[in-house]
């Protein structure tokens, strides 16, 4: 099992690009820290209860809390062949250090950190129009990826919702937090010699094709 990290600001398209990669690369899977946390909140686990306040303010949850969730995930998903993309983890330098320890423990290798580089005005446009299906997790955008029937998920027919942290105030805070706490990881992975920067303002399919070429040249 090899690991790739998807780095990028909120709204940079990490989840969408990961979805596309899963369609075109055999053995490719993703774990999203945000999805794990939202599931923990829904399930009212101890971690979910602790995380909820941070998330509703657009702040990062404590490093150890999310690192433990990723560690647990890898404990049951690190066997066998394939590529696992980490979407949204690490988000701070201490998390990157924790990830090194976790990867060693599970015997998996970090092959790339992929930065989706997107201009701030595009991030704002994407986040403010984002709609999600609360049941199957499918993502939409009011103007660029509208559902066939207004407000309804194409895949499972459930009414679409706005994510709790996609309101203007929380969006602004999440972008600020990204600059202050996550952007330093760009230099971190550049120094480690694994950073790949791709222009993330394009269609997901185009971005995914570029990433596939880069992953292949490094992996095989
Ligand atoms: P996302 O779905 O990736 O946009 O994440 C939603 C929210 O979950 C973030 O705004 C944070 O509050 C929290 N979160 C997700 N991943 C992490 C992480 N690696 N470290 C700390 N907080 C996180």
């Amino acid at each position: 099992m090899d690991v790739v990290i998807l780095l990028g600001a909120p709204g940079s398209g990490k989840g969408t690009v990961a979805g596309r990669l899963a369609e075109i690369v055999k053995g490719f899977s993703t774990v999203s820290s945000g999805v794990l946390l939202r599931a923990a909140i829904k399930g009212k686990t101890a971690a979910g209860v602790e995380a909820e306040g941070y998330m509703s303010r657009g702040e990062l949850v404590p490093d150890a809390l999310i690192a433990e969730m990723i560690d647990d995930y890898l404990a049951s998903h690190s066997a066998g062949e394939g590529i696992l993309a980490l979407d949204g983890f690490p988000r701070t330098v201490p998390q990157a250090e924790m990830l090194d320890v976790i990867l060693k423990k599970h015997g998996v290798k970090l092959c790339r950190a992929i930065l989706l580089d997107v201009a701030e005005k595009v991030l704002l446009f994407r986040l403010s129009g984002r709609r999600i299906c609360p049941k199957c997790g499918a993502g939409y955008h009011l103007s660029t990826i509208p559902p066939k029937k207004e407000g309804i998920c194409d895949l499972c027919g459930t009414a679409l919702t706005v994510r709790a942290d996609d309101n203007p105030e929380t969006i602004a805070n999440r972008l600020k937090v990204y600059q202050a706490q996550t952007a330093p990881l760009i230099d971190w992975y550049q120094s480690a010699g694994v950073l790949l920067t791709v222009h993330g303002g394009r269609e997901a399919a185009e971005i995914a094709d570029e990433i596939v070429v880069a992953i292949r040249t490094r992996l095989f």
Side-chain angles (χ1 to χ4, degrees):
M1 165 79 73
D2 286 302
V3 164
V4 297
I5 293 168
L6 294 175
L7 265 181
S12 58
K14 300 185 293 293
T16 311
V17 169
R20 175 72 190 155
L21 285 168
E23 285 169 9
I24 59 177
V25 180
K26 201 166 155 268
F28 188 98
S29 63
T30 311
V31 58
S32 152
S33 51
V35 168
L36 290 180
L37 287 163
R38 283 186 288 279
I41 291 175
K42 210 167 163 190
K44 297 190 169 46
T45 67
V49 171
E50 191 185 345
E52 192 164 14
Y54 295 98
M55 289 174 73
S56 65
R57 293 188 294 273
E59 295 167 10
L60 296 183
V61 307
D63 291 331
L65 185 155
I66 184 64
E68 195 179 326
M69 288 177 117
I70 297 291
D71 190 7
D72 286 349
Y73 184 88
L74 278 170
S76 50
H77 293 83
S78 60
E81 298 291 299
I83 301 174
L84 175 67
L86 303 182
D87 165 0
F89 182 89
R91 254 174 157 106
T92 64
V93 169
Q95 287 182 21
E97 290 169 337
M98 290 176 187
L99 179 62
D100 282 345
V101 176
I102 293 170
L103 294 182
K104 260 198 203 101
K105 174 174 152 191
H106 296 289
V108 290
K109 191 180 98 230
L110 174 64
C111 79
R112 286 274 183 174
I114 299 161
L115 171 67
L116 300 181
D117 190 23
V118 179
E120 182 155 325
K121 69 171 196 294
V122 177
L123 298 173
L124 286 169
F125 169 77
R126 285 182 179 172
L127 291 168
S128 56
R130 184 156 75 174
R131 295 293 179 270
I132 51 162
C133 173
K135 190 164 175 217
C136 72
Y140 298 88
H141 186 278
L142 289 182
S143 37
T144 54
I145 322 169
K148 290 196 186 88
K149 191 168 166 216
E150 198 183 321
I152 301 294
C153 178
D154 293 348
L155 304 179
C156 70
T158 305
L160 299 178
T161 55
V162 178
R163 242 173 69 169
D165 56 357
D166 275 349
N167 61 79
E169 211 175 284
T170 313
I171 287 173
N173 199 38
R174 285 160 64 207
L175 293 176
K176 228 167 44 199
V177 165
Y178 172 78
Q179 282 308 332
Q181 301 192 55
T182 308
L185 289 178
I186 299 171
D187 280 348
W188 175 272
Y189 285 115
Q190 176 83 56
S191 307
V194 292
L195 187 75
L196 168 74
T197 302
V198 297
H199 168 40
R202 299 167 292 163
E203 291 284 313
E206 211 179 306
I207 299 168
D209 287 346
E210 184 180 332
I211 292 173
V212 169
V213 172
I215 292 176
R216 292 235 155 93
T217 51
R218 175 95 181 198
L219 276 183
F220 305 114

